[in-house]
Amino acid sequence: GAEHANSCVAFDGLGRLYVLNTQVGPYRLDLATGVQESYAPPVPNLDPCPLGGSDSQTLCTPTPGVTPPLPNDLAFDDAGNLYVTDSMQAAIFRIPAGGGPAQMWFKDYRLFGPYIGVNGLRISPDRTKVFFTVTNDLLGIGRVYTLPLVDAPTKDDLQIFHNYILAEGPDGIAFGASGKLYVTLALPGQSGISV
């Protein structure tokens, strides 16, 4: 019944294609046959975190009020875990290798934005960090952040890689063969690529 849309694609280590759907969750698409199969249920709709906060992995949202999930981007690590950004719930989920329900990997109020929060996501070329964008935070600043690629990163692990202070709206990202990070700029009125 509910309308749904595809938001991003990624390949796993075996070259299989995965599509992130905003309402039905990630699914795998067989390129030879066109057959689709569910890989994981949709990311959960979270309740706000209790006053006083919670650890980075508890299933709750640090957003100022109830916001629906908006899964946006996805990337695999070398162990086969699938990382999924949630633009409206200020969270990054991890789906274990082989599929299954999404687990909270990291959440923080700094990933929230009034328009679009946490957005594009990629694993660094040396496979030690997760890079991701926040299109515009509560101060109106776009950012590229990093977290170490560990089982349970903490709030202290969150590091700013780059700030966009002119309302440029960082969105999708990709690493070039040079190791440089390419960032699309996608707020209304903006159109460009930052290196």
Side-chain angles (χ1 to χ4, degrees), residues 22-23 42-46 66-72 85-89 93:
T22 56
Q23 278 79 29
V43 298
N45 193 350
L46 303 175
V66 177
T67 54
L70 180 60
N72 194 315
T85 59
D86 186 331
S87 295
M88 300 305 289
Q89 297 190 118
F93 291 94

mmCIF file of all heavy atoms in Angstrom, residues 22-23 42-46 66-72 85-89 93:
data_model
loop_
_atom_site.group_PDB
_atom_site.id
_atom_site.type_symbol
_atom_site.label_atom_id
_atom_site.label_comp_id
_atom_site.label_asym_id
_atom_site.label_seq_id
_atom_site.Cartn_x
_atom_site.Cartn_y
_atom_site.Cartn_z
ATOM 1 N N THR A 22 13.151 3.328 0.635
ATOM 2 C CA THR A 22 12.806 4.105 1.813
ATOM 3 C C THR A 22 11.750 3.455 2.704
ATOM 4 O O THR A 22 11.727 3.704 3.899
ATOM 5 C CB THR A 22 12.342 5.517 1.417
ATOM 6 O OG1 THR A 22 11.255 5.408 0.510
ATOM 7 C CG2 THR A 22 13.481 6.302 0.789
ATOM 8 N N GLN A 23 10.875 2.627 2.144
ATOM 9 C CA GLN A 23 9.843 2.003 2.963
ATOM 10 C C GLN A 23 9.997 0.495 3.132
ATOM 11 O O GLN A 23 9.610 -0.031 4.167
ATOM 12 C CB GLN A 23 8.445 2.280 2.389
ATOM 13 C CG GLN A 23 7.891 3.639 2.782
ATOM 14 C CD GLN A 23 8.482 4.757 1.958
ATOM 15 O OE1 GLN A 23 8.856 4.567 0.821
ATOM 16 N NE2 GLN A 23 8.598 5.932 2.534
ATOM 17 N N PRO A 42 12.757 -2.771 6.845
ATOM 18 C CA PRO A 42 13.032 -1.332 6.890
ATOM 19 C C PRO A 42 13.658 -0.940 8.229
ATOM 20 O O PRO A 42 13.478 -1.626 9.234
ATOM 21 C CB PRO A 42 11.656 -0.688 6.750
ATOM 22 C CG PRO A 42 10.736 -1.764 6.319
ATOM 23 C CD PRO A 42 11.338 -3.065 6.679
ATOM 24 N N VAL A 43 14.384 0.189 8.229
ATOM 25 C CA VAL A 43 14.919 0.680 9.503
ATOM 26 C C VAL A 43 13.740 1.030 10.405
ATOM 27 O O VAL A 43 12.676 1.426 9.929
ATOM 28 C CB VAL A 43 15.868 1.878 9.314
ATOM 29 C CG1 VAL A 43 17.073 1.492 8.473
ATOM 30 C CG2 VAL A 43 15.164 3.069 8.726
ATOM 31 N N PRO A 44 13.912 0.868 11.714
ATOM 32 C CA PRO A 44 12.782 1.095 12.619
ATOM 33 C C PRO A 44 12.432 2.577 12.760
ATOM 34 O O PRO A 44 13.275 3.449 12.594
ATOM 35 C CB PRO A 44 13.274 0.518 13.949
ATOM 36 C CG PRO A 44 14.757 0.562 13.859
ATOM 37 C CD PRO A 44 15.101 0.391 12.407
ATOM 38 N N ASN A 45 11.173 2.811 13.092
ATOM 39 C CA ASN A 45 10.694 4.137 13.450
ATOM 40 C C ASN A 45 10.977 4.309 14.937
ATOM 41 O O ASN A 45 10.413 3.591 15.757
ATOM 42 C CB ASN A 45 9.203 4.245 13.145
ATOM 43 C CG ASN A 45 8.701 5.662 13.202
ATOM 44 O OD1 ASN A 45 9.400 6.567 13.636
ATOM 45 N ND2 ASN A 45 7.475 5.858 12.770
ATOM 46 N N LEU A 46 11.853 5.230 15.294
ATOM 47 C CA LEU A 46 12.354 5.331 16.661
ATOM 48 C C LEU A 46 11.583 6.323 17.511
ATOM 49 O O LEU A 46 11.132 7.352 17.018
ATOM 50 C CB LEU A 46 13.824 5.762 16.629
ATOM 51 C CG LEU A 46 14.764 4.869 15.830
ATOM 52 C CD1 LEU A 46 16.156 5.496 15.783
ATOM 53 C CD2 LEU A 46 14.816 3.475 16.423
ATOM 54 N N VAL A 66 9.529 13.697 17.380
ATOM 55 C CA VAL A 66 9.352 12.472 16.600
ATOM 56 C C VAL A 66 9.517 12.794 15.121
ATOM 57 O O VAL A 66 8.880 13.711 14.598
ATOM 58 C CB VAL A 66 7.960 11.853 16.859
ATOM 59 C CG1 VAL A 66 7.748 10.631 15.994
ATOM 60 C CG2 VAL A 66 7.812 11.506 18.334
ATOM 61 N N THR A 67 10.385 12.074 14.467
ATOM 62 C CA THR A 67 10.595 12.229 13.031
ATOM 63 C C THR A 67 10.552 10.849 12.390
ATOM 64 O O THR A 67 11.057 9.887 12.965
ATOM 65 C CB THR A 67 11.949 12.900 12.726
ATOM 66 O OG1 THR A 67 12.989 12.167 13.374
ATOM 67 C CG2 THR A 67 11.980 14.336 13.208
ATOM 68 N N PRO A 68 9.947 10.719 11.213
ATOM 69 C CA PRO A 68 9.876 9.412 10.563
ATOM 70 C C PRO A 68 11.239 9.029 9.999
ATOM 71 O O PRO A 68 12.076 9.891 9.708
ATOM 72 C CB PRO A 68 8.873 9.630 9.433
ATOM 73 C CG PRO A 68 9.017 11.078 9.105
ATOM 74 C CD PRO A 68 9.309 11.767 10.414
ATOM 75 N N PRO A 69 11.497 7.734 9.837
ATOM 76 C CA PRO A 69 12.766 7.337 9.232
ATOM 77 C C PRO A 69 12.854 7.766 7.770
ATOM 78 O O PRO A 69 11.848 7.845 7.075
ATOM 79 C CB PRO A 69 12.765 5.813 9.357
ATOM 80 C CG PRO A 69 11.353 5.418 9.587
ATOM 81 C CD PRO A 69 10.649 6.602 10.172
ATOM 82 N N LEU A 70 14.069 8.070 7.335
ATOM 83 C CA LEU A 70 14.339 8.339 5.928
ATOM 84 C C LEU A 70 15.704 7.733 5.585
ATOM 85 O O LEU A 70 16.721 8.416 5.602
ATOM 86 C CB LEU A 70 14.317 9.835 5.614
ATOM 87 C CG LEU A 70 14.595 10.198 4.148
ATOM 88 C CD1 LEU A 70 13.564 9.580 3.205
ATOM 89 C CD2 LEU A 70 14.665 11.696 3.970
ATOM 90 N N PRO A 71 15.726 6.406 5.323
ATOM 91 C CA PRO A 71 16.996 5.782 4.941
ATOM 92 C C PRO A 71 17.493 6.392 3.644
ATOM 93 O O PRO A 71 16.725 6.572 2.709
ATOM 94 C CB PRO A 71 16.646 4.305 4.797
ATOM 95 C CG PRO A 71 15.175 4.255 4.624
ATOM 96 C CD PRO A 71 14.616 5.466 5.280
ATOM 97 N N ASN A 72 18.786 6.736 3.600
ATOM 98 C CA ASN A 72 19.259 7.547 2.501
ATOM 99 C C ASN A 72 20.389 6.911 1.712
ATOM 100 O O ASN A 72 20.356 6.889 0.495
ATOM 101 C CB ASN A 72 19.683 8.916 3.041
ATOM 102 C CG ASN A 72 19.869 9.944 1.967
ATOM 103 O OD1 ASN A 72 20.471 9.686 0.949
ATOM 104 N ND2 ASN A 72 19.340 11.122 2.189
ATOM 105 N N THR A 85 22.479 5.194 6.380
ATOM 106 C CA THR A 85 22.186 6.468 7.036
ATOM 107 C C THR A 85 20.678 6.681 7.104
ATOM 108 O O THR A 85 19.932 6.258 6.225
ATOM 109 C CB THR A 85 22.823 7.654 6.282
ATOM 110 O OG1 THR A 85 22.335 7.696 4.939
ATOM 111 C CG2 THR A 85 24.334 7.561 6.273
ATOM 112 N N ASP A 86 20.241 7.336 8.166
ATOM 113 C CA ASP A 86 18.836 7.715 8.342
ATOM 114 C C ASP A 86 18.795 9.224 8.514
ATOM 115 O O ASP A 86 19.110 9.752 9.586
ATOM 116 C CB ASP A 86 18.241 6.999 9.548
ATOM 117 C CG ASP A 86 16.750 7.242 9.702
ATOM 118 O OD1 ASP A 86 16.258 8.319 9.277
ATOM 119 O OD2 ASP A 86 16.060 6.377 10.265
ATOM 120 N N SER A 87 18.406 9.920 7.456
ATOM 121 C CA SER A 87 18.487 11.384 7.404
ATOM 122 C C SER A 87 17.587 12.106 8.391
ATOM 123 O O SER A 87 17.869 13.244 8.759
ATOM 124 C CB SER A 87 18.156 11.876 5.990
ATOM 125 O OG SER A 87 19.121 11.433 5.085
ATOM 126 N N MET A 88 16.500 11.499 8.808
ATOM 127 C CA MET A 88 15.560 12.193 9.684
ATOM 128 C C MET A 88 15.671 11.775 11.145
ATOM 129 O O MET A 88 15.196 12.482 12.027
ATOM 130 C CB MET A 88 14.120 11.973 9.203
ATOM 131 C CG MET A 88 13.866 12.484 7.790
ATOM 132 S SD MET A 88 14.299 14.213 7.525
ATOM 133 C CE MET A 88 13.007 15.002 8.459
ATOM 134 N N GLN A 89 16.288 10.620 11.430
ATOM 135 C CA GLN A 89 16.380 10.145 12.808
ATOM 136 C C GLN A 89 17.795 10.278 13.378
ATOM 137 O O GLN A 89 18.080 9.739 14.445
ATOM 138 C CB GLN A 89 15.880 8.700 12.921
ATOM 139 C CG GLN A 89 14.405 8.581 12.560
ATOM 140 C CD GLN A 89 13.828 7.215 12.882
ATOM 141 O OE1 GLN A 89 12.910 7.124 13.692
ATOM 142 N NE2 GLN A 89 14.346 6.154 12.284
ATOM 143 N N PHE A 93 22.575 3.056 10.895
ATOM 144 C CA PHE A 93 22.289 1.673 11.268
ATOM 145 C C PHE A 93 23.315 0.740 10.641
ATOM 146 O O PHE A 93 23.923 1.060 9.615
ATOM 147 C CB PHE A 93 20.891 1.267 10.793
ATOM 148 C CG PHE A 93 19.783 1.967 11.523
ATOM 149 C CD1 PHE A 93 19.218 3.122 11.015
ATOM 150 C CD2 PHE A 93 19.312 1.476 12.721
ATOM 151 C CE1 PHE A 93 18.186 3.774 11.679
ATOM 152 C CE2 PHE A 93 18.287 2.114 13.401
ATOM 153 C CZ PHE A 93 17.723 3.271 12.878
#
